[in-house]
């Protein structure tokens, strides 16, 4: 029998019909894993408790008549207070400039290859960081007991309270500024300096063009903190009758016996100025952090 005369059922067995695959069921998303956020009940409870406590404290401060907020408003911009504020700002700026100028010199001494210069720099930093600033001010205020005359001029006439404050604060500030500058210089990689030397750059150009811009990234944050600390630290000169902001409000409340509101006047002014300085510090840090991971 020829192939053409084969029964149909035999041909069907040899060539089974093709079977189309069953269509896949469409997914409606119910078979995916559900992502459940982590519950932070404890954190939210603590946040609510802190906000509640803060609201109670603020309400107590604002509504407490003992603070005498009307007296605070009356004295906040008086001439005596503004003169004291001006002297505080002037003293802070002068001490920071002189302190960092002397501190930079001391940092160079501490990094010198000469052992004598290194010892002198280290000794200065050790001495003025080991002595309380109040003791230093009182020492300079009574310098006339040791040297009644300097170059034929009576020390009492030469060193008034403001001059004593500038000298004492500057010498104290320079000890801390020296360590800040030294740390900033040491943060610059040695390879940068060696590369500048290979290009034939002189010491001043190496320092000005290579070392200083990179060192400022490490110098600015602690220097900003020192500036704010110096602003508040100038209040200690009131002990030697320098009419800064604190001494000015003290003169007023010694006459009016309104101690709390006058202290609040000084406190608010210090808070305002330090806030402005903090904002300025932020932008200076961002300027010197350009091109680094710290830029934001």
């Amino acid at each position: 029998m020829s192939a053409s005369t084969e029964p149909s059922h035999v041909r069907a067995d040899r060539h089974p019909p093709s079977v189309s695959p069953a269509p896949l069921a469409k997914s409606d998303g119910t078979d995916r894993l559900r992502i459940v956020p982590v519950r932070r009940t404890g954190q939210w409870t603590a946040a609510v408790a802190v906000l509640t406590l803060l609201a109670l404290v603020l309400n107590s401060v604002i509504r407490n008549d003992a603070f005498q907020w009307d007296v605070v408003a009356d004295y906040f911009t008086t001439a005596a207070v503004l003169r004291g504020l001006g002297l505080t700002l002037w003293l802070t700026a002068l001490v920071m400039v002189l302190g960092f100028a002397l501190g930079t010199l001391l940092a160079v001494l501490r990094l010198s290859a000469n052992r004598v210069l290194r010892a002198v720099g280290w000794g200065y930093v050790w001495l003025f960081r080991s002595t309380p600033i109040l003791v230093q001010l009182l020492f300079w205020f009574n310098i006339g007991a040791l040297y009644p005359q300097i170059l034929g001029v009576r020390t009492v006439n030469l060193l008034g309270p403001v001059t004593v404050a500038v000298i004492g604060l500057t010498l104290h500030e320079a000890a801390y500024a020296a360590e800040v500058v030294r740390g900033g210089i040491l943060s610059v990689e040695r390879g940068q300096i060696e590369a500048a030397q290979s290009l034939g750059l002189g010491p001043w150009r190496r320092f000005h063009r290579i070392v200083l811009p990179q060192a400022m990234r490490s110098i600015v944050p602690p220097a900003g903190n020192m500036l704010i600390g110096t602003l508040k630290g100038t209040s200690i000169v009131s002990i030697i009758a320098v009419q800064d902001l604190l001494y000015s409000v003290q003169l007023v409340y010694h006459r009016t016996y309104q101690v709390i509101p006058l202290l609040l006047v000084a406190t608010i002014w210090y808070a305002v100025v330090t806030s402005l300085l903090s904002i300025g510090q932020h932008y200076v840090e961002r300027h010197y952090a350009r091109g680094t991971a710290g830029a934001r």
Side-chain angles (χ1 to χ4, degrees):
M1 183 179 297
S2 63
S4 60
T5 59
E6 253 184 334
S8 61
H9 66 277
V10 176
R11 291 197 304 269
D13 291 340
R14 289 184 179 180
H15 304 282
S18 59
V19 180
S20 301
L24 296 175
K26 293 183 179 179
S27 174
D28 57 357
T30 57
D31 56 338
R32 297 180 181 177
L33 294 177
R34 233 178 122 193
I35 300 176
V36 180
V38 179
R39 297 181 183 275
R40 293 183 171 87
T41 307
Q43 293 183 9
W44 283 108
T45 303
V48 171
V50 169
L51 290 176
T52 303
L53 181 61
L54 181 60
L56 292 175
V57 171
L58 290 177
N59 181 67
S60 173
V61 170
I62 294 174
R63 302 186 63 180
N64 190 343
D65 295 335
F67 284 99
Q68 303 181 53
W69 291 108
D70 55 336
V71 178
V72 174
D74 291 338
Y75 283 99
F76 192 70
T77 56
T78 56
V81 171
L82 293 180
R83 280 196 302 269
L85 176 63
L87 181 58
T88 294
L89 296 176
W90 175 82
L91 192 59
T92 301
L94 183 62
V95 167
M96 284 296 295
V97 172
L98 296 179
F100 264 87
L102 180 57
T104 302
L105 177 61
L106 292 169
V108 172
L109 294 181
R110 293 211 59 191
L111 295 172
S112 173
N114 189 294
R115 294 184 179 180
V116 176
L117 297 180
R118 283 205 312 269
V120 171
W122 180 87
Y124 181 99
V125 172
W126 169 80
L127 177 62
F128 283 92
R129 290 203 307 176
S130 303
T131 311
I133 180 60
L134 179 58
V135 175
Q136 296 178 34
L137 286 176
L138 292 177
F139 176 83
W140 288 108
F141 191 70
N142 295 282
I143 194 67
L146 296 175
Y147 300 97
Q149 290 187 353
I150 297 178
L151 299 177
V153 181
R154 295 186 60 190
T155 310
V156 176
N157 299 329
L158 182 63
L159 299 180
V162 176
T163 305
V164 168
V166 172
I167 293 175
L169 292 176
T170 297
L171 295 178
H172 178 79
E173 196 80 5
Y176 290 91
E179 293 300 282
V180 170
V181 175
R182 186 175 71 92
I185 294 175
L186 291 176
S187 68
V188 180
E189 295 182 3
R190 183 64 186 175
Q192 300 278 344
I193 303 175
E194 293 175 350
Q197 289 175 335
S198 66
L199 293 175
L201 297 180
W204 169 246
R205 292 192 67 189
R206 286 200 305 267
F207 179 78
H208 178 66
R209 301 294 298 273
I210 306 298
V211 177
L212 186 59
Q214 298 182 68
M216 288 298 290
R217 297 172 185 170
S218 300
I219 292 175
V220 169
N225 292 334
M226 284 182 60
L227 175 60
I228 294 174
T230 301
L231 172 70
K232 296 182 295 183
T234 55
S235 62
I236 202 170
V237 301
S238 61
I239 200 69
I240 56 175
V242 176
Q243 295 189 14
D244 68 322
L245 177 59
L246 180 59
Y247 192 78
S248 298
V249 300
Q250 286 177 331
L251 290 178
V252 176
Y253 72 62
H254 285 157
R255 186 179 70 250
T256 64
Y257 301 102
Q258 296 171 317
V259 178
I260 298 299
L262 268 301
L263 288 179
L264 282 174
V265 170
T267 301
I268 295 173
W269 270 121
Y270 280 121
V272 169
V273 177
T274 53
S275 299
L276 294 176
L277 292 177
S278 298
I279 295 173
Q281 177 186 351
H282 167 73
Y283 285 104
V284 173
E285 287 183 15
R286 192 171 69 173
H287 171 76
Y288 283 103
R290 290 178 302 178
T292 64
R296 60 187 183 277

